[in-house]
Each structure stands twice: as C-alpha cells, then as structure tokens.
Amino acid sequence: MWMLHSATMLPAFLLLFFMGTSSRLSEAMSRDEKNKLRNQVLEMFDHAYQNYMDHAYPADELMPLTCRGRVRGLEPSRGDVDDALGKFSLTLIDTLDTLALLNKMAEFEEAVRRVVTDVRLDNDIVVSVFETNIRVLGGLLGGHSMAVMLKESGRMVWYQDELLHMAKDLGLRLLPAFNTSSGLPYPRVNLRFGVRGPETRTGTETDTCTACAGTIILEFAALSRFTGDPTFEAHARRALDFLWEKRQRNSNLVGTTINIHSGEWIRRDSGVGAGIDSYYEYLMKAYILLGDDQFLQRFNTHYASIMKYISQPPLLLDVHIHKPLLPARTWMDSLLAFFPGLQVLKGDIRPAIETHEMLYQVTKKHNFLPEAFTTDFRVHWAQHPLRPEFAESTYFLYKATRDPYYLEVGRTILENLNRFARVPCGFAAMKDVRTGSHEDRMDSFFLAEMFKYLFLLFAEEEDLPFNVEDYVFTTEAHLLPLSLSTASNSQAPTLAGEELDDSNFEWTCPNTRLLFPDPAFPRNLREPIRSAVDKSCPRPTTHREPGMGHPPLRAQDFMANNPEHLELLRRMGVSLIHLKDGRVQLVQHATQAVSAVAAEDGMRFMQEMMELSSQQQKEQLPPRAVQIVSHPFFGRVVLTAGPAQFGMDLYKSNSGVRGFVTVAEPYNGCSVLSNGEIVAGRIALLQRGQCMFAEKARHIQKAGAIGGIVIDDNEGSSSDTAPLFQMAGDGRNTDDVTLPLLFLFHKEGNILLEALKEYREVEVLLSDKARDRESIFKGKALPGTLLDGSMDGAEEEDCSTEEKDHTSPASSEPVDQSQVTTQEQTTDDSVVGQESVQPAEGLGSYDPVDVGEEPAVDGDYSSQSDDSLVADWQEDLEAFKQMEKDEL
C-alpha cells in the first residue's frame, strides 16, 4: 500500500479535551462473525447478479421494481444518466472481475463466453466517453486480467485474448472524441460514427467536466501496454497535461467544467466531489500503476491545496479557484465519500478518519448517504443510487488501521442494504432516503464496486483467489495488474522545461505504531465528530472568559454589526466572512484563539449558534403570494414570495392584506423612515441588507405601514433558480410585529419596481395564495368588464408544511443568532454558515394565477395595447397553481 506521509496530531488541548469523553474501544470481531458477514455479502451479490441475468440480460441494466431490463430508447429518457447505456450488456461487462474476485470462477467463465459471443460494440448510439471508459473498457480490461490469470493457472485454456481484442475495438471507437485542439475529449461519442457528421448526433458540445477528461489514463495506458499500441496512452496523457497546464496557478486548484476547445474554466468551483473527484484519484493511481513520478508530483501539489482550502475536517467544502478562501456552496455531495480512501493511499490517515466518521454519522441518520447533504447534515438531495464510495473508503481505512470499528461500519452498510434497498428482483436505488421510497434502477456500479469492497472487508487472505496487492483498483473498482508498469511504453514522462520538485516527495510509509501509539487514538478522533453530527457535543459546565476580561459571548446575544462582538469572536478564533451572495459565514480556527480557554469558548459559541439555528429551522412555512391587482394587471401577475417567521400569518387570514405600494426611505428600512407620512396606510418596499428583518418590520410599522415587502439586493437572484426562503426573527420576542412581511428575490422584486415606475400607483394583495379576480374585485367596479371565464379549481390545496430540502443555498443579509445555519467542529477548524432567510416549503418560482380570459379594458388602453402588455410580461404569465404542486 502506498502511504506517502504520516498523519499529524490534534492540538494537545483539543486531544485532552476529547479524551474526557467516555467511549468503549472497538472490540475485535470474531473470525466466525466475519465469515458470516462475508457469506452474507456473497448471498446478496448472488441475489443481485442472478436477477439481472434472469430478468434483464442482455439489456444494459436491471429495473428491479418491474423485473425487466432497461433498454435505451424503449424506456422514458432519464437525460444524461442514460448516456452510460450503449446496448452492450453494461452490467455483465462491469461485473466480470467481481465474479473472479468473489471466487465464482464457473460463473466468470460463462460470463466471458457470453460477452465474447453476444456483445456488439458498433451500435449506432451516443454514449458518454467517461462512463464507457470506466465501466465498459475498464470492465473488459479487468476481465481480461482475470482470464489471463486463470489461464496461467490451468483454467480457461480456451481463452485467446478475446476480451482484449474487444477492448481495443472499443478504445478505437472512443478515440475520435479526442480529436480536439486541446486534447480534451468530447463528452460523448457515437460508437459507430464517432463525433463528426450529422449522423453522429453529437460533436457539438463545448464543455466537459474535469473528471470526464481526467479519468482516462488508467484504462488507456493499460490498453496501450496490453496491446503494445502507444496511441491510447498518448491521448490520455495529453488530456492530463492540458488540465495540469490550465490549473489556477495561485491556488493550484482546478474547476469543475472546462471548455474543450479554449481551455477556459466554465465552472470555477472546486472540490473533491462530483465533476472533479476521479481526476485526483487517477493522478495518484497513475503513479502507482505506471511508476511515473510526474503524476505523483502533480497529485501532491493538488493535495496540498485541497488540504489548505477545501478540507475543513471533517468537512470538504467547495471553493472558488480564483478566491479559494471563498466557499462556493454550503453542501456536499456523496461522491466525495471516496476521498478518505484516497487519503489512505496517500498516507494521510487522520483526516481520512475524521471525514469518514462524519460520513458514517450522516449515513446512520438517514440510513444511506443522501446524494447531497448540508454542512449541518440535513438532506439536500434525497436520492441514493446505491453508490459504493463510502464502502470503498471503509475498506481502505480498515486495511490501513485494522481497527474492528470499520467492520461494524461494514455491517451497518449490509444491514441497511438488506432492510431498505432489497426487493424481490434485486436491489433498488432509493428515490428519497427520508421516506424510503424506491427508484426502478440498479446501476451497474453496484455490482462492479459495492460487493468487491464489502467482500474484501470481511474476507480473510485465504478466501481470496489471488493477491489483490498485485493490482490497482480503477475508479470503477476494476483490477489492473501492477506488472503493467514494466510493460513497453514509449511516452515521454515529463513536459518540456518542467522539472520535478523533490520537496514534494516523501517516500517513507507511515508506521502505524507511531500513528496510533494509544489504541484509543482513532476513537478519540471519531468521538467529537459523532457528537457534532448528533448535535450533542459535551460542553464544560463552567463559563470562562475569552481572554479580555468579559464573560464569553453567548450565541443568543450575538449581533453581526456589533464591533465589540466581532472582537470577542476574533479572540475566540472565530472569524466572520461576508460572502459574495450576501450570506455570512462563521469560521473557527481553534489555533488562532488567544488561549486554549478562549478556543473552548469559541467551540461552545459555535455549538450554541448551531442549536439556535436548528430551532429557527424547525417550522418550515409554505410560500406566500404577492398579486398585482391594480390596472392594467387585475390579478394576472402573481409573484411567489417567501414568508417571515414573525408578524401576521397570512395563512390564517381569509382576505389577506391589500394596499398600494411605496418605496421606504431609507430604502433599507434600518432607521426611522423619512417618508413616514407617505408610507402610512400603504405597503412598504424595502431592500435587503444592513439590519435584521424584524428591525425593518418595526420601522415601517411605526410609520403606519400595513405591510412590507423585502426585495433581495443580490442582482440576478430569482426563484426560478433558487428555492424560496423564510425570514427569521432577530432572536428576541417579535410579538410586537403585527403586520405581514414578505420576501421577493431580485428578479421578482424588479418586476414590482418596474410596474411602480411605469404606472406610479400599483396596488397589490398579500395573501397565502393567489386569489381569483372575481373574489379580488367583489363589490368593486372594474375599468372594463370581465370576459367569460371561470376560475374552476382556483381554490387549491394548501402547501404541505412537511419539511423538505432544496437544491441550492440561501442568500442572506448580516445576521444574528436567530438567522444562522450552523455546523460545529470540534477539531482544529470549525465552520458555521449563517443565513438570515431559511428555506421555505414550495416552488421557488413566480407564477401568475390562471383566472380565465383577459379583461377588455375601457379608457386609453385598447385591446391591442393590452395584448402588448401581456406579451411584455409573458415570462411571468404561467399557472400559479403549479407553485403549490411542484418543487425544485
């Protein structure tokens, strides 16, 4: 195992603090128990594989709920997910070397015969270059490696490199994708026609993900060295060289997507999860497989930046490549679960233990890793397609530490798969980990990877048909022999003018006796993370001062615009960062506190902030409506608005609040209004920022306003692309606020401001949902007559108040403790992201209500001018009733 530097220790005061936590050491698992779990893995594999062969083969994948095969073109399209399907019996090819590793040699031989006889690779179909490379080409090469091994031992003597010939055929079909000026491959290729010409139905794409272009080298180099044809390895190296050249030179990070022609970064966020993950993995493993020091140097350079900017143990948070101290998002995706395993290969054990433990605690909360989850471990994307990355890291950590704790983690994975994902025809992906609902899919990687790592976790050496140390695992867990490093290779290993930096290399493997002088040490790393995820971190009972003669700052007293509070935070090692999108993030660096006592106070403050934020987020409110009812709109335009957690509850109001709008002065509403006489009796328009929402509400209420609308100052924000948010209070009693306050994103707010600019007098209705015009204008004369039209079904069901999670983070203004989404860290660095507006239930978009025919308007406005007005506002005229039925 290649472990290239030893782990560092926790600061002494933190280590002593955590060692006070009582927890029993992991007990060794008996051999009989391990054998029982190993046999359970084999039974589960048989259940999945046999159902694929019985109900799906020769289709690419099994649909386990309907017990049939998924054939592309015959099932409804799933978008990019279907690009992995090429009508080449994907699951069978992806499973070949799994059969061999699990010692199912008869089944392996039969599977190879089927692939050789039945599979065609010249289909007129567009496939993902990335997925086809790692799953199909990797599967053929892994199968070939196993077949050669068996032939050398006297089995499969009939085998004449048929799988290798198929692999070369497929490699040649993928090569046209690399015909770009940069050497980066097109993301898709037609297996029969390549990428040029109308018959290919591809070749027009301009962007690809970093991982898509950077996860080729293992398979292509292996193909070159197996066949003696250097072409494949040359193309893969060229793509990697280009990505290396395009890294951001100051941060040494790469973005997520890149233009394949110009090399311009399209998405400049950088992390270790989706879009980048296996690029880093392949730099390290290319060094292991090929012995080229250049790959290790590049990996080490990237890894140093990852640990400097992205790693905030146990979190791994995306940053911007040009401003790596600026977080790019407040959630993590499940694909980063591979990273602790890669850190084991690197030899950086401590952060691997910490991140893995965080992932394990999230898994225990939700039974599976959600496809994405927030920094406070709530569900962000609820799907789980039976991904194997967490099991992969569990195996590597057990391999490195021999800590039986990881065997228990493996047991948990097995139990959850059997309890929640097992169905009569296989194992079904989770559509929603919160509800336990299933999706009719069982991806090929489930058989290719999951059962390999779980079997290796519980198997003894004598259970394995060969020594896995003689192989490297690809990102799809296919087995490539390390002997390829000595095979013929004509490629120049370094770029012209580039010298290797010896300071980047540490050649010694870590001594695990030095890493873990105390058997309790790994547990002591895990315990505080477990506490943080459970939100039950033990706290000292005594309150100590943070080094400046004052009582420690309590979260409920914190105000982000109070200079004394900011100084207290600084002394506790907590810094406040104003993000570009208006949010505020709290970050704790315990080592920057003025003393160990102050650092503990800082950790306590972060924990309190987390708890306060959690309390604020318990009640998720449905969206509200701002309906423009004045001439010439007459209720046609409805803007979806976010509610407040204080003030009048429009849900309990039958009629809502109706009035003319006017802009408050000052616009931010953070002081006594200078135009109070004008605001009185009207609905005030306010700009987000500078003070608390409750403070704005109090100022306009004092001026006599009947309601308020806060408009986001983050230009370009829209409920088309972000979920709605509810505005939190200021952490104090807000019973004195009695008027309704709603929140509009910038795009929706600008619609209202433009209407006010054009028509001067604009009347709106603030309500829980859009009203039909007959009820709005009941008892009032219209400037024209309503044409025939009904409002059937206008009374819709109320939005569910059941808590759900959305797909993008909130924007916010400077906040206090009640407006914070927090995450406490009890290691060196703690991160707390603050948000003043919390996610609200319902669709994050604005839509007008369907109220029948348009009115014929008398006066200066003709039917034609009214049609022009409707055309001008066309993007806003959609069915409002979808707002309460749909969600992002």
Side-chain angles (χ1 to χ4, degrees):
M1 192 165 297
W2 287 259
M3 301 181 184
L4 304 171
H5 71 78
S6 57
T8 55
M9 301 289 284
L10 281 170
F13 74 89
L14 284 178
L15 185 59
L16 292 174
F17 178 69
F18 294 143
M19 286 185 69
T21 306
S22 61
S23 179
R24 190 175 56 173
L25 289 175
S26 301
E27 296 180 358
M29 181 179 289
S30 69
R31 190 183 182 99
D32 286 346
E33 188 65 19
K34 283 184 67 178
N35 289 341
K36 179 180 177 182
L37 292 172
R38 178 205 62 199
N39 291 336
Q40 188 175 358
V41 172
L42 293 172
E43 186 278 328
M44 293 167 66
F45 171 82
D46 289 341
H47 177 68
Y49 177 71
Q50 202 55 52
N51 272 289
Y52 166 74
M53 295 304 296
D54 291 345
H55 300 293
Y57 181 80
D60 283 316
E61 289 180 347
L62 170 68
M63 299 174 68
L65 299 183
T66 52
C67 298
R68 68 178 193 271
R70 182 180 298 279
V71 179
R72 192 168 172 185
L74 299 184
E75 301 293 336
S77 173
R78 301 175 298 170
D80 292 348
V81 175
D82 283 341
D83 286 345
L85 311 181
K87 297 182 179 178
F88 35 36
S89 301
L90 172 64
T91 297
L92 183 62
I93 293 177
D94 219 1
T95 309
L96 287 176
D97 53 4
T98 306
L99 288 165
L101 179 65
L102 272 55
N103 216 1
K104 295 180 177 294
M105 297 309 178
E107 292 90 336
F108 171 74
E109 185 170 358
E110 175 61 24
V112 172
R113 290 185 184 276
R114 284 179 180 268
V115 169
V116 172
T117 303
D118 299 343
V119 173
R120 293 178 58 98
L121 299 173
D122 63 344
N123 303 311
D124 179 10
I125 193 167
V126 176
V127 296
S128 162
V129 173
F130 168 75
E131 296 290 356
T132 304
N133 174 67
I134 65 171
R135 299 203 207 187
V136 186
L137 182 57
L140 292 170
L141 292 172
H144 170 68
S145 299
M146 298 294 100
V148 169
M149 176 197 67
L150 289 179
K151 184 176 182 179
E152 291 174 348
S153 65
R155 297 193 59 162
M156 290 186 65
V157 293
W158 58 268
Y159 181 70
Q160 299 296 323
D161 296 342
E162 288 87 349
L163 294 181
L164 181 59
H165 298 322
M166 294 181 68
K168 185 172 182 179
D169 180 25
L170 180 59
L172 292 171
R173 295 180 185 280
L174 296 179
L175 278 185
F178 292 81
N179 189 18
T180 62
S181 58
S182 66
L184 299 180
Y186 283 96
R188 298 175 184 85
V189 67
N190 187 299
L191 289 177
R192 180 176 297 175
F193 298 112
V195 295
R196 298 293 175 87
E199 70 276 9
T200 68
R201 303 185 304 283
T202 188
T204 59
E205 304 93 341
T206 59
D207 306 338
T208 193
C209 72
T210 300
C212 299
T215 310
I216 306 289
I217 185 65
L218 292 188
E219 292 82 4
F220 268 40
L223 181 57
S224 282
R225 299 186 181 214
F226 272 131
T227 63
D229 184 348
T231 305
F232 306 102
E233 184 172 344
H235 281 288
R237 283 180 177 267
R238 185 182 175 210
L240 278 179
D241 290 346
F242 190 82
L243 289 174
W244 173 252
E245 283 297 300
K246 291 299 179 180
R247 74 192 186 281
Q248 211 292 321
R249 297 303 179 100
N250 292 324
S251 66
N252 279 317
L253 295 172
V254 292
T256 303
T257 59
I258 190 171
N259 185 294
I260 61 176
H261 304 296
S262 68
E264 178 187 0
W265 290 111
I266 305 303
R267 279 184 53 193
R268 295 175 171 84
D269 50 313
S270 183
V272 296
I276 302 180
D277 48 2
S278 49
Y279 163 69
Y280 294 131
E281 178 186 2
Y282 269 37
L283 285 178
M284 166 61 86
K285 291 183 176 179
Y287 164 68
I288 296 173
L289 179 66
L290 306 177
D292 188 338
D293 295 343
Q294 182 191 73
F295 293 123
L296 180 60
Q297 183 198 29
R298 293 179 182 180
F299 174 81
N300 282 337
T301 301
H302 284 314
Y303 186 78
S305 293
I306 290 170
M307 299 310 291
K308 181 177 181 180
Y309 300 120
I310 295 171
S311 175
Q312 300 177 29
L315 308 180
L316 292 163
L317 295 176
D318 284 20
V319 300
H320 296 273
I321 58 175
H322 296 287
K323 296 180 180 179
L325 296 177
L326 184 65
R329 63 190 189 191
T330 57
W331 48 272
M332 295 166 279
D333 66 75
S334 62
L335 284 171
L336 61 76
F338 90 100
F339 197 68
L342 186 60
Q343 289 180 305
V344 169
L345 291 181
K346 167 70 176 170
D348 206 357
I349 306 295
R350 180 188 148 217
I353 291 173
E354 292 172 330
T355 297
H356 179 276
E357 182 62 22
M358 177 269 292
L359 296 169
Y360 182 41
Q361 296 307 316
V362 173
T363 297
K364 291 206 294 187
K365 288 174 74 73
H366 304 295
N367 299 320
F368 299 97
L369 270 183
E371 195 71 334
F373 52 93
T374 63
T375 53
D376 56 349
F377 314 115
R378 293 180 296 117
V379 172
H380 187 68
W381 296 335
Q383 307 95 324
H384 174 76
L386 306 182
R387 294 201 184 277
E389 286 78 13
F390 179 64
E392 174 185 358
S393 288
T394 302
Y395 162 67
F396 279 113
L397 270 169
Y398 177 68
K399 185 88 170 177
T401 65
R402 292 296 172 183
D403 187 341
Y405 177 83
Y406 297 108
L407 297 176
E408 295 301 330
V409 174
R411 187 203 300 269
T412 300
I413 296 172
L414 286 182
E415 290 176 349
N416 287 345
L417 284 172
N418 273 324
R419 287 178 60 196
F420 304 110
R422 185 165 182 148
V423 294
C425 283
F427 292 85
M430 306 305 297
K431 184 176 183 180
D432 192 318
V433 297
R434 297 165 298 188
T435 63
S437 58
H438 289 123
E439 191 174 353
D440 199 5
R441 65 185 283 194
M442 188 180 80
D443 290 84
S444 67
F445 54 68
F446 182 61
L447 286 165
E449 301 182 67
M450 180 71 80
F451 293 108
K452 275 197 188 84
Y453 291 123
L454 290 176
F455 180 76
L456 288 170
L457 180 65
F458 297 114
E460 302 291 347
E461 253 185 63
E462 56 267 28
D463 297 327
L464 304 178
F466 54 87
N467 185 1
V468 293
E469 300 293 341
D470 294 336
Y471 296 82
V472 65
F473 288 103
T474 70
T475 194
E476 190 77 3
H478 292 306
L479 294 156
L480 299 178
L482 294 178
S483 57
L484 290 174
S485 63
T486 60
S488 174
N489 174 30
S490 61
Q491 303 308 304
T494 59
L495 293 175
E498 183 175 349
E499 296 182 0
L500 294 179
D501 180 5
D502 289 340
S503 66
N504 252 336
F505 297 84
E506 298 181 48
W507 300 103
T508 58
C509 294
N511 186 328
T512 54
R513 292 179 62 188
L514 296 177
L515 280 176
F516 311 120
D518 179 351
F521 181 65
R523 183 211 59 202
N524 291 330
L525 292 178
R526 293 190 293 258
E527 189 64 35
I529 297 165
R530 181 182 304 117
S531 300
V533 179
D534 289 341
K535 299 184 180 179
S536 59
C537 182
R539 291 188 246 165
T541 56
T542 58
H543 289 224
R544 290 171 287 183
E545 301 176 1
M548 61 180 298
H550 294 284
L553 179 64
R554 304 304 302 274
Q556 62 263 32
D557 300 324
F558 172 64
M559 295 293 289
N561 56 359
N562 186 316
E564 183 179 352
H565 289 181
L566 296 179
E567 175 62 16
L568 284 168
L569 290 186
R570 185 192 68 80
R571 298 183 70 84
M572 291 189 295
V574 179
S575 58
L576 184 144
I577 301 172
H578 292 271
L579 303 182
K580 183 178 180 180
D581 61 3
R583 291 179 296 120
V584 175
Q585 184 178 47
L586 292 179
V587 181
Q588 187 196 21
H589 302 276
T591 56
Q592 295 180 10
V594 296
S595 67
V597 171
E600 290 186 17
D601 287 330
M603 287 188 289
R604 186 183 309 116
F605 171 82
M606 302 286 273
Q607 174 70 11
E608 290 177 353
M609 193 68 77
M610 177 180 67
E611 293 172 352
L612 284 171
S613 175
S614 178
Q615 293 171 9
Q616 289 289 335
Q617 295 177 34
K618 285 182 179 178
E619 182 181 3
Q620 297 295 329
L621 302 175
R624 308 302 189 214
V626 175
Q627 193 166 7
I628 306 179
V629 299
S630 56
H631 174 85
F633 306 101
F634 304 117
R636 290 196 308 262
V637 175
V638 180
L639 308 176
T640 303
Q645 293 179 337
F646 54 88
M648 177 189 291
D649 186 355
L650 292 170
Y651 181 74
K652 299 178 180 178
S653 172
N654 292 326
S655 58
V657 173
R658 178 171 174 170
F660 288 91
V661 297
T662 192
V663 177
E665 296 179 6
Y667 189 21
N668 60 32
C670 293
S671 59
V672 176
L673 302 191
S674 60
N675 63 339
E677 293 182 359
I678 299 176
V679 170
R682 290 179 170 242
I683 295 172
L685 301 182
L686 305 151
Q687 186 180 46
R688 190 193 74 176
Q690 306 304 314
C691 63
M692 304 302 105
F693 289 121
E695 187 176 349
K696 297 176 189 289
R698 291 188 179 101
H699 283 137
I700 63 173
Q701 181 172 284
K702 185 176 181 180
I706 60 174
I709 299 173
V710 177
I711 298 175
D712 189 8
D713 64 346
N714 183 20
E715 186 172 353
S717 67
S718 167
S719 58
D720 287 335
T721 56
L724 287 183
F725 298 98
Q726 55 188 9
M727 297 175 284
D730 58 3
R732 295 167 177 77
N733 192 316
T734 53
D735 290 344
D736 59 313
V737 179
T738 58
L739 53 69
L741 190 71
L742 299 182
F743 178 87
L744 293 179
F745 282 109
H746 183 270
K747 182 177 179 180
E748 291 85 340
N750 201 48
I751 290 172
L752 190 56
L753 291 172
E754 287 296 322
L756 184 61
K757 179 179 178 181
E758 184 169 353
Y759 300 105
R760 301 182 68 85
E761 288 291 331
V762 174
E763 189 179 16
V764 301
L765 173 65
L766 311 183
S767 59
D768 62 323
K769 58 186 176 182
R771 308 300 170 92
D772 65 275
R773 286 181 292 180
E774 291 182 1
S775 65
I776 292 175
F777 298 106
K778 184 177 182 180
K780 294 188 178 183
L782 284 172
T785 59
L786 290 174
L787 298 177
D788 291 339
S790 64
M791 185 55 190
D792 296 336
E795 292 299 323
E796 303 182 32
E797 296 182 3
D798 295 337
C799 294
S800 168
T801 57
E802 176 185 348
E803 181 177 350
K804 295 186 188 280
D805 298 274
H806 301 277
T807 60
S808 60
S811 298
S812 72
E813 60 184 339
V815 299
D816 68 347
Q817 69 287 346
S818 67
Q819 299 164 311
V820 180
T821 297
T822 63
Q823 161 58 35
E824 183 189 16
Q825 301 299 323
T826 48
T827 56
D828 294 5
D829 295 342
S830 297
V831 177
V832 177
Q834 301 197 48
E835 298 178 344
S836 62
V837 277
Q838 308 298 343
E841 179 65 20
L843 176 67
S845 63
Y846 60 96
D847 311 281
V849 64
D850 180 8
V851 287
E853 300 291 338
E854 303 296 323
V857 184
D858 295 339
D860 296 334
Y861 294 91
S862 65
S863 174
Q864 178 62 37
S865 63
D866 194 40
D867 290 342
S868 299
L869 178 66
V870 171
D872 291 339
W873 294 73
Q874 189 60 45
E875 66 174 305
D876 309 317
L877 300 180
E878 299 173 356
F880 176 75
K881 54 190 175 184
Q882 291 300 318
M883 181 184 72
E884 292 176 315
K885 294 179 179 178
D886 299 341
E887 65 179 9
L888 286 175

